[in-house]
Amino acid sequence: MEDKLILAIESSCDETSAAVLLGAKVLSNEVVTQLQHAQYGGVVPEIASRAHQTMITAVVQAALKTAGRELRDLDVIAVTQGPGLMGSLLVGISFAKSLSLALEIPLVGVNHMQAHILAHFADDCENKPSFPFLNLTVSGGHTQLVVVHSPTRMEVVGETIDDAGGEAFDKAAKVLGLDYPGGPLLDKMAQTGDAKKFSFPIPKVEGLNFSFSGLKTSLLYFLRDNQKLNQNFIEEERANLCASFQHTVVTYLLRQIQRGLTSTKTNQIAICGGVSANSELRKQLTEYGVNNGVEVFIPQFKYCTDNAAMIGIAAHYLMEANKISDLKMVPLSRYPL
Ligand code: KG4
Ligand code: ZN
């Protein structure tokens, strides 16, 4: 099949993004992150959908301009169908439907979690995994171990029973006095700290599932107890606390990866989602691969957090499998793989 010119739109949470792709070749990938949520310490759904409405036209225009293409050049419109915030998804989907109708071109609805994984197949990713492979997705809303059989057939073999990994980073960052979203800030602060200074218990969950709520609570109790002895404990130890907490989360993620590789008899591990931007995870996983003869696939930073390029790549594969949507498509706040 000849490569199609795809306009992809992502608006599932707090990033408004549009990308233009020729097949899996990314010609542009514009991402606007809504900073207005920082003052509330988390994403406010109503504010998010309004901000998408305000930004979406300009973001799509920017993506077309960067790619040097016009609306009339497009062959396909791809859009995130879910999972995500209902109001936010609705903005992207309504916009995509209007374009599909006006330009008389097909519409492809994309599963956001599949798209995170398929970001590994962007044309500018040097090494691409081969099927089947194991993938760890860790984002603000999900933590999943997935066996990826093909671009359109994926099987969840482990997932979080409470908080997501990104949420654990964000909540820890909040109690440590960092701004929202705390994950990247905690990562940065950890770089000047001693990861061995404090130790937190690795969650005890059987099999390939994950749990982060106990870890969060143990950090809270640890801070409370130490603040009784020294009011300035967090301020004085912030970098060491960040490094130690991050070390615990990463050690835990690696243990689950190791279990996953053993039980699925795979020797390829890919990671994706916002937390795959974490420097400690990238470092430890790379070392783990070298020491254990496991092939490791880590996305470029631009494909870790939410972006429309990954939606376009997923749409490219969906079209190859003839999975096209129509104007009856509805947003899905939950959308299993
Ligand atoms: O995939 P993503 O952009 O959005 C969702 O679909 O959730 O992931 C966002 C999550 C947030 O929790 C954010 O704090 C976390 O990814 N994150 C990080 C880092 N960069 C983003 N967590 C730890 N270290 C980072 N460097
Ligand atoms: Zn995401």
Side-chain angles (χ1 to χ4, degrees):
M1 190 168 81
E2 201 181 309
D3 281 341
K4 304 278 189 206
L5 192 68
I6 306 169
L7 171 67
I9 295 171
E10 154 64 33
S11 71
S12 64
C13 192
D14 58 342
E15 262 93 21
T16 316
S17 179
V20 176
L21 297 91
L22 188 60
K25 186 174 165 57
V26 182
L27 305 182
S28 65
N29 184 28
E30 305 289 332
V31 184
V32 174
T33 302
Q34 302 172 359
L35 301 174
Q36 47 275 63
H37 304 288
Q39 58 184 306
Y40 304 103
V43 178
V44 182
E46 185 60 25
I47 293 177
S49 54
R50 284 184 196 194
H52 285 304
Q53 275 178 337
T54 311
M55 289 311 297
I56 196 157
T57 310
V59 173
V60 166
Q61 278 170 345
L64 285 165
K65 190 166 179 221
T66 308
R69 304 297 172 117
E70 312 246 343
L71 275 177
R72 64 168 173 267
D73 301 331
L74 298 171
D75 297 312
V76 182
I77 307 290
V79 65
T80 306
Q81 186 173 6
L85 300 170
M86 214 51 177
S88 293
L89 290 166
L90 202 53
V91 176
I93 291 177
S94 308
F95 197 89
K97 279 184 181 175
S98 322
L99 281 180
S100 159
L101 193 64
L103 300 170
E104 296 181 0
I105 55 176
L107 179 68
V108 179
V110 172
N111 182 314
H112 180 91
M113 304 313 295
Q114 270 193 6
H116 266 301
I117 296 175
L118 294 171
H120 286 283
F121 295 91
D123 69 303
D124 55 346
C125 288
E126 266 180 35
N127 296 315
K128 299 176 180 61
S130 49
F131 300 102
F133 63 92
L134 186 68
N135 186 93
L136 173 70
T137 309
V138 199
S139 69
H142 294 82
T143 305
Q144 293 180 327
L145 265 174
V146 178
V147 178
V148 187
H149 296 284
S150 79
T152 53
R153 192 163 75 86
M154 303 186 183
E155 181 193 353
V156 178
V157 290
E159 60 192 329
T160 183
I161 56 170
D162 42 54
D163 294 349
E167 213 176 338
F169 272 113
D170 293 339
K171 286 178 178 169
K174 194 170 180 178
V175 297
L176 292 171
L178 303 175
D179 284 340
Y180 179 88
L185 299 175
L186 190 147
D187 183 357
K188 197 161 172 224
M189 177 68 61
Q191 281 162 25
T192 57
D194 174 4
K196 301 254 159 65
K197 178 96 191 249
F198 307 110
S199 73
F200 301 103
I202 299 276
K204 288 189 183 67
V205 175
E206 296 278 302
L208 303 183
N209 282 339
F210 297 84
S211 164
F212 292 98
S213 70
L215 189 55
K216 176 191 67 190
T217 312
S218 74
L219 173 69
L220 266 179
Y221 287 168
F222 182 77
L223 295 178
R224 190 196 57 188
D225 294 348
N226 278 281
Q227 276 178 307
K228 279 186 198 150
L229 306 171
N230 171 10
Q231 266 194 350
N232 300 325
F233 179 69
I234 294 183
E235 221 172 285
E236 288 167 13
E237 296 288 349
R238 193 174 279 124
N240 296 329
L241 286 162
C242 287
S244 301
F245 182 82
Q246 176 173 273
H247 182 75
T248 310
V249 174
V250 171
T251 305
Y252 180 45
L253 292 175
L254 269 168
R255 192 196 70 187
Q256 294 306 87
I257 284 177
Q258 199 163 4
R259 281 187 185 174
L261 288 169
T262 307
S263 84
T264 59
K265 300 187 176 60
T266 321
N267 78 337
Q268 294 181 91
I269 175 74
I271 55 169
C272 69
V275 178
S276 61
N278 184 266
S279 59
E280 180 72 15
L281 176 60
R282 295 167 84 94
K283 181 169 152 263
Q284 279 205 39
L285 186 60
T286 306
E287 283 170 11
Y288 171 81
V290 171
N291 295 334
N292 293 279
V294 169
E295 271 190 280
V296 171
F297 302 90
I298 299 177
Q300 297 177 48
F301 282 112
K302 63 183 177 184
Y303 297 136
C304 288
T305 45
D306 289 348
N307 66 88
M310 67 184 194
I311 304 302
I313 296 163
H316 164 71
Y317 287 109
L318 287 168
M319 279 187 303
E320 272 189 0
N322 222 3
K323 295 192 174 188
I324 313 261
S325 316
D326 60 34
L327 294 175
K328 293 199 202 87
M329 184 175 84
V330 290
L332 299 171
S333 58
R334 290 171 163 273
Y335 190 174
L337 273 181

